[in-house]
Amino acid sequence: MTDTFQSKDIPIIDFSLFETNQSLCVQQIKLACENLGFFYLKNHGFNEKDVEETFHRIKLYFDQSHEEKLNYKINEHYFGYMDLRQEVLDFKTQKIGDHKESFNFSKFDDNYDPLAQILPPLFNEKKSLFSSLSKKCHQLCLKILQTLAIALEIPQSEGGKHWFEPKHSYDLKSGDCLRVIHYPPTVVNNDQEDIRAGSHSDYGSLTVLFQKDIGGLEILPHNSTEWVPVPIISNCVVINVADCLQFWSKGLFKSIKHRGIFVKTKPLSAATERYIEKLFTTNL
Ligand SMILES: O=C(O)CCC(=O)C(=O)O
Ligand SMILES: [Fe+2]
């Protein structure tokens, strides 16, 4: 027996409790956010086929030529294509940028940001699919924030369980972002300092993550020095608390450090390709 935190200790919360037994749901989410700031969520309400289709689309998108992708280069509003090695998540220790490319979507709202609604053709053809994913992730975050407002016992006069909502309205300008990420395959040397996504915490309120086929995400539980893998559990999304929520709760809810590592195939030490989708929810 060991009391070191392991992957199997990451809580798996059944979100159907939000409808059927809200106080139990609040209790479980509160505990997970206080202890770890990280949990799996099942029965989250996303249609599996739609999620599959978005993954299929992002593969088509990233399979395009580099030149084509650069036509929608990331702009000053932080929307568009981000090139391989452009982002350096762990800027204090990384010598080179992350081994990944990504595309950031704005919120899907013409009034909010008309220019950011102009998408590369392969995404534009399926705009309603991505728009619905973005809005559903946002709705999910609002429900989780509701459970946290109940947990914080925010008085009715201050907004009660709805306290977070006006600060996270979908039609308000904020750093909310749906991001799709491609980690290309590569050959990894054991002594190589290369990294897929450097160690960091997210900056907003909550993050929702969909992983497909290949894992690689690791978390660093608080007061620990050992990275813990986050295996893919089918039909579960991963939720993490980010810095702003930690700040708003005066440190009660923990923003967890995490990173993306290479998962190697044996015996070649080739790192397999990986795709993920994330929604970062950010307050005003
Ligand atoms: O590869 C992953 O799963 C981690 C990516 C991540 O944490 C991020 O992009 O903020
Ligand atoms: Fe992150």
Side-chain angles (χ1 to χ4, degrees):
M1 280 285 286
T2 168
D3 51 12
T4 311
F5 190 92
Q6 296 173 35
S7 306
K8 64 175 176 46
D9 300 321
I10 302 172
I12 303 175
I13 298 176
D14 180 349
F15 204 55
S16 64
L17 288 174
F18 185 80
E19 305 297 340
T20 59
N21 188 342
Q22 206 168 80
S23 57
L24 185 58
C25 186
V26 168
Q27 196 185 318
Q28 292 185 358
I29 292 183
K30 176 177 188 273
L31 203 66
C33 292
E34 283 176 358
N35 291 341
L36 196 63
F38 194 90
F39 55 96
Y40 291 103
L41 201 66
K42 66 179 183 188
N43 293 322
H44 38 60
F46 291 98
N47 178 314
E48 212 182 312
K49 275 209 174 113
D50 289 348
V51 175
E52 273 295 315
E53 204 182 337
T54 55
F55 272 111
H56 173 66
R57 234 337 105 164
I58 68 174
K59 179 167 170 31
L60 291 179
Y61 169 77
F62 286 117
D63 276 352
Q64 296 178 109
S65 69
H66 189 226
E67 200 181 16
E68 177 64 41
K69 288 181 278 193
L70 287 177
N71 286 333
Y72 294 83
K73 221 165 35 184
I74 196 145
N75 62 21
E76 68 274 26
H77 304 296
Y78 207 50
F79 302 119
Y81 173 73
M82 209 190 283
D83 214 341
L84 201 67
R85 309 235 179 254
Q86 193 173 343
E87 189 168 50
V88 191
L89 278 173
D90 184 4
F91 54 87
K92 284 198 186 129
T93 54
Q94 270 177 257
K95 294 195 180 80
I96 44 172
D98 297 347
H99 192 97
K100 69 177 185 214
E101 52 179 348
S102 60
F103 187 90
N104 285 2
F105 294 89
S106 164
K107 289 193 273 191
F108 291 82
D109 187 325
D110 286 337
N111 298 327
Y112 166 71
D113 194 348
L115 277 180
Q117 306 304 317
I118 303 166
L119 297 175
L122 276 172
F123 287 141
N124 201 42
E125 286 162 15
K126 291 284 171 184
K127 193 168 180 174
S128 62
L129 190 70
F130 286 94
S131 155
S132 139
L133 180 71
S134 159
K135 287 174 184 166
K136 278 190 185 155
C137 282
H138 188 262
Q139 284 299 321
L140 175 65
C141 288
L142 291 187
K143 285 184 184 166
I144 297 171
L145 288 170
Q146 244 184 55
T147 67
L148 295 178
I150 296 170
L152 291 171
E153 299 177 13
I154 295 177
Q156 283 302 330
S157 55
E158 303 287 331
K161 68 179 183 179
H162 299 294
W163 189 81
F164 286 104
E165 284 164 42
K167 288 120 185 133
H168 293 81
S169 189
Y170 194 81
D171 57 2
L172 290 176
K173 228 179 172 69
S174 78
D176 275 32
C177 172
L178 173 65
R179 172 186 277 198
V180 296
I181 307 178
H182 173 221
Y183 298 98
T186 185
V187 173
V188 183
N189 303 316
N190 286 338
D191 56 352
Q192 197 173 318
E193 286 182 48
D194 208 355
I195 193 95
R196 277 192 157 161
S199 163
H200 67 286
S201 55
D202 294 341
Y203 49 75
S205 299
L206 288 171
T207 303
V208 182
L209 165 71
F210 298 82
Q211 319 187 65
K212 185 172 157 54
D213 300 335
I214 303 294
L217 176 62
E218 291 188 331
I219 53 174
L220 189 64
H222 306 281
N223 305 321
S224 168
T225 49
E226 301 232 345
W227 288 96
V228 177
V230 180
I232 297 179
I233 300 184
S234 60
N235 299 323
C236 282
V237 293
V238 165
I239 307 289
N240 66 270
V241 171
D243 298 346
C244 229
L245 194 54
Q246 174 172 288
F247 173 80
W248 252 347
S249 63
K250 284 197 173 165
L252 182 68
F253 304 137
K254 310 285 189 306
S255 174
I256 192 160
K257 272 230 158 101
H258 53 283
R259 68 180 183 182
I261 59 147
F262 290 105
V263 176
K264 296 173 206 166
T265 54
K266 290 177 192 142
L268 283 175
S269 271
T272 28
E273 188 164 35
R274 175 165 189 250
Y275 295 90
I276 61 170
E277 302 177 349
K278 295 196 117 185
L279 180 98
F280 300 92
T281 307
T282 308
N283 59 291
L284 287 173

